[in-house]
Amino acid sequence: MPVRAASSTTLPPQLARLIKQCSVQRKDLPAQGTTFYRAVHTTETGGLFALERAGSVGVLSLYADFSAEQEVELAAACAETGLSSLYLKRRPREASHAANVEREWLSPPQPIWGQDLPELTALENGVPYLIRPGHDLSIGLFSDARPARAWVRQRAQGSRVLNTFAYTCGFGVSAALAGAERVKNLDLSRKVLSWGQENYALSGLAAPDTDFVYGDVFDWLGRLGKRGEQFDLVILDPPSFARSKAGVWRSERDYARLLTLAASVTAPGGQVLALCNHAGLAPATFDKMLSAGAALASRRLSVTARFGAGQDYPGAEHLKVRALKLA
């Protein structure tokens, strides 16, 4: 269960000091070309809240119960780090159903403090991305995957790339900027694929509709496999939990099956970049699932890299990233 805020009507003064301290610790990121990052992580707040920063705009995610007065106090403390506006996200343990029936309460479209800025461009390692801070619980990019996108940008040159669960196509942008031979972005939402095309345009990349494929990932992996299509790099970045026509997906139960399908479209000697953001799934268990998935596809698997979130996620263990080579 999420950590509960203190019953006091005022926030502990150490929280304001903590926010300022964390902000100072991240001051090198904008100088390195990254203006979108986690300014305060939950490991630093005892699970109470996290603060994302996109330029001068903040996005405050609450993982505990705060009173309206405490929310205002916390917003004011965040604003002291030089923000021009701050948006609020309330994140209950199981937000998937609530997001459909209480969307405006969970993710108010207007800022809790400062001027409304429906969209802005922020940088990640010098690459521009379109961020919409009041759009929804997800604002356009997942900052914890920054090291994984950097890995793709360093290795995708000349590759045929399939980016599954593409969302707004951050991995696709990274592959295209690396000089990939071709990139296919696949997602179940036309809206986020269109958003991805906007991200391509920000970097001056061609974004033909044929490179942005709408549909269920599991269905498409099966279809591509039957066609004999092959990719040198397949990127898997699924949600921890999702519902579709095919049923319920749970990463802690189904990731092996996903890897088996991905292997069917991965060229001999090709790579799979597998991400899992389920905090409750142990790294060793994730590794076993990947090995089992490769074995079901009759492929030999070797792990060439293991990593997680970036420096702005101190102590984070939720994200597990594996670079896999399939013989």
Side-chain angles (χ1 to χ4, degrees):
M1 294 294 291
V3 179
R4 299 288 175 176
S7 58
S8 170
T9 57
T10 60
L11 288 172
Q14 61 265 30
L15 283 182
R17 293 196 296 269
L18 173 67
I19 293 168
K20 290 182 179 179
Q21 177 184 349
C22 293
S23 179
V24 170
Q25 292 172 347
R26 271 79 159 177
K27 65 181 181 180
D28 60 320
L29 286 170
Q32 296 171 5
T34 295
T35 62
F36 177 67
Y37 57 92
R38 180 62 62 96
V40 184
H41 187 45
T42 52
T43 55
E44 298 167 298
T45 67
L48 290 173
F49 65 89
L51 176 65
E52 212 92 42
R53 184 156 184 156
S56 65
V57 175
V59 178
L60 175 64
S61 292
L62 305 179
Y63 295 90
D65 292 337
F66 289 86
S67 68
E69 293 80 4
Q70 288 173 328
E71 289 181 353
V72 170
E73 287 186 56
L74 189 56
C78 292
E80 288 297 317
T81 64
L83 298 176
S84 61
S85 59
L86 183 73
Y87 290 79
L88 186 65
K89 311 292 178 185
R90 301 181 178 95
R91 298 181 183 272
R93 188 177 182 89
E94 291 290 342
S96 56
H97 172 68
N100 293 324
V101 297
E102 301 177 311
R103 187 174 299 273
E104 288 203 4
W105 181 79
L106 291 175
S107 180
Q110 304 297 319
I112 187 174
W113 182 89
Q115 182 181 3
D116 186 19
L117 191 62
E119 65 179 39
L120 68 146
T121 300
L123 300 176
E124 180 182 89
N125 293 323
V127 180
Y129 291 98
L130 185 62
I131 305 297
R132 291 174 174 144
H135 174 262
D136 210 337
L137 288 175
S138 299
I139 61 174
L141 202 65
F142 297 108
S143 58
D144 56 354
R146 185 173 67 249
R149 284 186 288 271
W151 184 93
V152 169
R153 193 173 176 187
Q154 293 165 3
R155 291 166 176 81
Q157 184 176 11
S159 298
R160 299 163 294 174
V161 179
L162 178 63
N163 177 27
T164 68
F165 306 98
Y167 187 42
T168 61
C169 306
F171 282 109
V173 168
S174 299
L177 288 172
E181 179 182 316
R182 64 186 176 101
V183 183
K184 292 287 186 183
N185 297 284
L186 174 58
D187 199 275
L188 191 55
S189 168
R190 287 191 175 93
K191 288 184 178 179
V192 295
L193 288 173
S194 179
W195 194 338
Q197 288 177 295
E198 293 181 84
N199 280 331
Y200 267 59
L202 287 175
S203 286
L205 299 168
D209 290 342
T210 52
D211 290 350
F212 298 82
V213 182
Y214 164 76
D216 180 81
V217 168
F218 294 93
D219 176 55
W220 267 103
L221 286 174
R223 290 162 66 178
L224 292 169
K226 289 178 181 178
R227 293 178 189 173
E229 293 203 38
Q230 299 276 279
F231 297 87
D232 305 301
L233 173 61
V234 177
I235 300 162
L236 304 176
D237 187 16
S240 295
F241 174 86
R243 298 181 188 274
S244 70
K245 293 180 180 179
V248 175
W249 152 270
R250 293 184 182 276
S251 59
E252 74 275 20
R253 180 190 67 192
D254 302 320
Y255 214 112
R257 177 168 63 96
L258 175 61
L259 197 280
T260 300
L261 287 170
S264 71
V265 299
T266 304
Q271 298 187 89
V272 174
L273 186 68
L275 294 87
C276 180
N277 65 357
H278 191 296
L281 185 64
T285 303
F286 183 48
D287 290 336
K288 289 179 181 178
M289 296 177 77
L290 295 173
S291 295
L296 286 171
S298 300
R299 303 290 295 271
R300 292 199 313 276
L301 174 153
S302 59
V303 180
T304 60
R306 303 170 188 265
F307 50 96
Q311 68 185 74
D312 44 336
Y313 283 77
E317 298 180 349
H318 68 288
L319 182 65
K320 294 157 281 289
V321 187
R322 302 290 185 265
L324 314 172
K325 186 174 182 179
L326 298 181

